[in-house]
Amino acid sequence: MKLLFAALHQGYYRNFESVIEQLAARGHQVFLGHERPDSAIGGQTIVERLAGRFPNIRHGHIPEREEETAFLASRLRLGIDYLRYLHPMYTASSGLRPRAEYRTPRGIVRLARSPVMSFPPARWLAGWCLDAIDRAVPPSPAIEAFLDEQQPDLVAVTPLIALGGASQLDVLRSAQARHIPTAVLVWSWDHLSSKAIIRDVVDGLFVWNDAQKEEAVRMHGFPSKRIVVTGAQCFDRWFGRRPARPRAEFLSHAGLPAGRPYVLWVCSALLPGSPREPDLVLRWARHLRQSADARLRDLSILIRPHPSRLADWDGVDWRSLGNIAMFGDNPIDEVARDDYFDSLYHSAAVVGITTSAFLEAAIADRPVMTVFMEDVRQEHEGSLHFQLLLRFAGGLMTTATTLEEHAGQLASMIDGPPPEVMERQRRFVKAFVRPFGLDVPATDVVVEKLEEMAAMPSRVRPRRTNAIGRRGLRELEAREHDPRWHPWFLDDRELARDAWIVEKRRLRDQERGRTSREEKDRRREEKDRRREEKLRQKATRR
């Protein structure tokens, strides 16, 4: 079979490496397509490594929608995705609505602020109209030609939650127009609740667990019968893994003193508007250093920076706290993965704000903890995906509302975590990561389901365009380039950019005008000087 994967960028293959390996090992032809360059988190390395191991794996760029239609299509899709954040479940503390507003066209934002949009029927009608117009945008000739050339038996898209200018939706619709079976692979635990709306039905929406299945039905209106629960294949590599080094050897390797327990802080990719995580880590660490409990005061601390936020630590004086180290690289190869697993496995507890490392720590059977700081309410209280860690299947996290409460909980973990805590975590791992049993790898389930879909004719019938969508598209196309209407198609960043360009031009013209006047004055003075010189010469000759 020929399977075409369409990822937004190569970094998304990090979570599907085991699936691609197994598909290739079974003899399938696999094309790993990407729309944008690598995201600097190691995706290109993974893709090239896979292609080097398996001759039946190819990779390359997937065409993007042509410029003449891409702008308007992106405006429509940004608007549709913004409307979801008007729902009451996205509270002010979530931070998602302001983040989305910043990238949403001005006209949609102004519409959303209308009092009438507080009523669900009005929001539904606005979304329906934008969706109808979006579906009237003609397909991309480049994408159509690409699919005709590839002729895949299945198109698997990930993550299909990219906002605005991404062409993944166009790839999906063009594949469905050719009756090619299609699948959408959910990439991470937060994507269904915090990213774009999935508006197109596919042959299979692959989710990790029943919690994500419920989100897909409730938040996206996706039909339950097309949802495939598989488990989280990206965590398969951690099950049954053993540490690469004995504890004493690892402590020496990481730069921590031997013979002492340590707590591991796993850093996150926090939302815009959150405080810098180094400031939070230092506040937490200082609290431990000032504890009356000698176990906490002398506790070793290991900090694992987030691979995409290394620059946050530039200039931070974390070493002054003593008995502390920073350790860990992006786990995209076996050496870095060994380092990462060892740092989890040998720790007394794992602490952080909100990160998928919590799940990996639980798989390594380490207690997982967080403390609710006021600075990061949007990461905890306001993040729907974080609530899953608190409530689904009895919850994963050991939480505290103050640093004092957290310190007491951490002290109880140092000498050995309470059995009820670890049993709760194991139940969560089974339900959230491997719902078919701890001994059933999710990779096997994903591969088998993809093979089944590729072997069957597509059951999806693409939605047709309607008269309202075609008329709306013509009206917007007529106004897109009109100077009076164009600003309503732009978001805050683009408006600020255009204002900056206008101001820069004004200053440049002003400077040119001043220079021009100065040049005229200089020429006039030079002309007067020459005239006076001629008069003096005439007077001298007389």
Side-chain angles (χ1 to χ4, degrees):
M1 295 179 184
K2 296 180 65 176
L3 294 93
L4 189 154
F5 284 79
L8 180 63
H9 56 68
Q10 291 171 313
Y12 281 105
Y13 289 117
R14 185 181 60 172
N15 279 8
F16 297 102
E17 185 174 3
S18 62
V19 170
I20 295 163
E21 282 180 337
Q22 194 169 130
L23 287 169
R26 294 192 183 201
H28 301 299
Q29 299 292 320
V30 181
F31 184 90
L32 304 179
H34 63 274
E35 181 179 329
R36 299 175 185 174
D38 189 14
S39 62
I41 58 173
Q44 183 175 351
T45 299
I46 290 172
V47 167
E48 291 177 349
R49 184 168 65 222
L50 286 167
R53 287 180 55 200
F54 296 98
N56 49 332
I57 292 180
R58 297 181 300 118
H59 62 95
H61 180 258
I62 293 179
E64 299 175 51
R65 175 173 281 280
E66 290 75 14
E67 186 176 350
E68 55 267 24
T69 57
F71 176 79
L72 184 53
S74 71
R75 306 297 99 176
L76 291 165
R77 294 167 187 178
L78 284 166
I80 294 168
D81 293 328
Y82 174 69
L83 292 179
R84 81 174 301 190
Y85 298 115
L86 302 183
H87 193 283
M89 66 181 171
Y90 294 99
T91 63
S93 63
S94 75
L96 292 173
R97 188 183 301 176
R99 182 180 68 169
E101 185 173 297
Y102 192 57
R103 61 182 175 238
T104 302
R106 179 184 179 188
I108 301 296
V109 173
R110 183 67 62 87
L111 172 66
R113 290 174 179 171
S114 169
V116 72
M117 293 297 286
S118 62
F119 297 100
R123 294 197 299 270
W124 177 88
L125 180 61
W128 184 89
C129 290
L130 290 173
D131 179 75
I133 298 171
D134 176 44
R135 293 181 187 280
V137 177
S140 160
I143 292 174
E144 301 256 285
F146 172 77
L147 289 174
D148 289 339
E149 176 187 350
Q150 294 291 326
Q151 295 187 340
D153 296 303
L154 173 77
V155 172
V157 178
T158 187
L160 198 67
I161 49 78
L163 297 159
S167 297
Q168 289 194 302
L169 191 56
D170 302 302
V171 173
L172 184 72
R173 289 175 178 173
S174 290
Q176 291 182 341
R178 285 156 174 72
H179 306 293
I180 299 171
T182 52
V184 170
L185 308 178
V186 171
W187 192 76
S188 187
W189 59 314
D190 66 322
H191 279 195
L192 289 171
S193 61
S194 66
K195 302 295 190 297
I197 286 287
I198 297 175
R199 294 181 283 128
D200 289 57
V201 175
V202 293
D203 291 281
L205 173 62
F206 285 57
V207 301
W208 292 359
N209 46 54
D210 287 338
Q212 286 191 334
K213 180 177 180 178
E214 189 272 336
E215 285 183 336
V217 173
R218 176 169 54 89
M219 298 181 181
H220 300 260
F222 203 90
S224 176
K225 65 181 181 180
R226 299 286 176 86
I227 299 175
V228 183
V229 176
T230 63
Q233 74 291 326
C234 50
F235 298 119
D236 279 348
R237 64 171 57 94
W238 309 118
F239 283 89
R241 198 179 189 106
R242 301 300 301 167
R245 305 175 186 85
R247 188 174 190 280
E249 184 180 337
F250 171 75
L251 289 173
S252 175
H253 181 60
L256 289 176
R260 289 187 183 182
Y262 70 89
V263 59
L264 174 65
W265 181 289
V266 282
C267 291
S268 312
L270 300 180
L271 289 167
S274 298
R276 295 174 67 251
E277 189 160 12
D279 298 338
L280 302 174
V281 176
L282 294 184
R283 188 196 314 170
W284 166 79
R286 290 190 185 106
H287 185 84
L288 298 183
R289 291 288 181 258
Q290 296 166 4
S291 174
D293 189 329
R295 293 176 300 173
L296 295 178
R297 193 169 57 247
D298 300 331
L299 184 65
S300 296
I301 296 173
L302 186 62
I303 301 171
R304 177 176 178 78
H306 193 279
S308 67
R309 301 293 176 89
L310 296 176
D312 289 355
W313 291 92
D314 292 346
V316 177
D317 185 20
W318 52 270
R319 293 181 179 84
S320 62
L321 291 165
N323 195 18
I324 189 170
M326 185 174 293
F327 177 80
D329 203 353
N330 193 6
I332 59 172
D333 57 45
E334 285 307 305
V335 172
R337 287 168 182 167
D338 282 342
D339 285 345
Y340 179 44
F341 184 80
D342 286 2
S343 70
L344 296 170
Y345 184 87
H346 292 303
S347 68
V350 176
V351 183
I353 302 298
T354 175
T355 167
S356 58
F358 290 154
L359 299 169
E360 290 153 337
I363 294 169
D365 214 29
R366 293 292 82 209
V368 183
M369 310 176 70
T370 194
V371 55
F372 296 142
M373 302 180 189
E374 182 63 27
D375 318 52
V376 288
R377 283 186 65 194
Q378 65 175 0
E379 303 287 350
H380 287 154
E381 178 185 318
S383 294
L384 298 178
H385 64 278
F386 184 81
Q387 300 304 308
L388 294 177
L389 303 188
L390 301 181
R391 300 181 181 137
F392 181 67
L396 171 66
M397 309 298 298
T398 296
T399 64
T401 56
T402 65
L403 285 171
E404 290 75 17
E405 182 186 7
H406 169 73
Q409 293 171 341
L410 184 56
S412 71
M413 302 291 182
I414 294 174
D415 299 325
E420 61 271 18
V421 169
M422 303 314 297
E423 182 58 33
R424 186 194 72 228
Q425 290 191 179
R426 293 175 192 126
R427 286 197 304 268
F428 181 90
V429 168
K430 179 183 181 302
F432 199 83
V433 181
R434 282 194 168 178
F436 297 105
L438 292 175
D439 58 343
V440 179
T443 297
D444 296 349
V445 182
V446 174
V447 168
E448 289 171 7
K449 295 298 182 181
L450 287 174
E451 288 177 330
E452 288 177 13
M453 288 184 183
M456 299 284 290
S458 176
R459 299 169 295 166
V460 174
R461 294 296 172 262
R463 286 171 54 184
R464 297 181 178 180
T465 62
N466 57 45
I468 293 176
R470 293 190 292 272
R471 175 62 183 272
L473 180 63
R474 289 196 298 270
E475 293 293 332
L476 291 179
E477 286 176 333
R479 289 164 173 76
E480 177 185 353
H481 302 292
D482 188 325
R484 297 169 299 174
W485 289 93
H486 187 67
W488 294 96
F489 291 80
L490 303 180
D491 61 35
D492 285 348
R493 294 170 296 181
E494 293 163 332
L495 289 167
R497 179 203 62 198
D498 287 359
W500 177 80
I501 292 174
V502 169
E503 177 64 11
K504 187 176 180 180
R505 287 173 178 170
R506 186 188 69 79
L507 293 174
R508 183 189 61 196
D509 293 343
Q510 187 180 62
E511 181 64 24
R512 284 177 176 174
R514 182 166 57 250
T515 303
S516 179
R517 288 193 300 272
E518 291 173 353
E519 180 65 19
K520 287 180 180 179
D521 292 342
R522 189 190 65 78
R523 289 177 180 176
R524 188 182 302 110
E525 290 172 0
E526 179 66 20
K527 186 176 181 180
D528 292 342
R529 189 189 64 77
R530 288 198 298 268
R531 186 185 302 112
E532 291 174 359
E533 181 65 24
K534 287 180 180 180
L535 290 174
R536 282 196 298 271
Q537 290 176 355
K538 287 181 180 179
T540 302
R541 284 197 297 269
R542 290 175 185 164

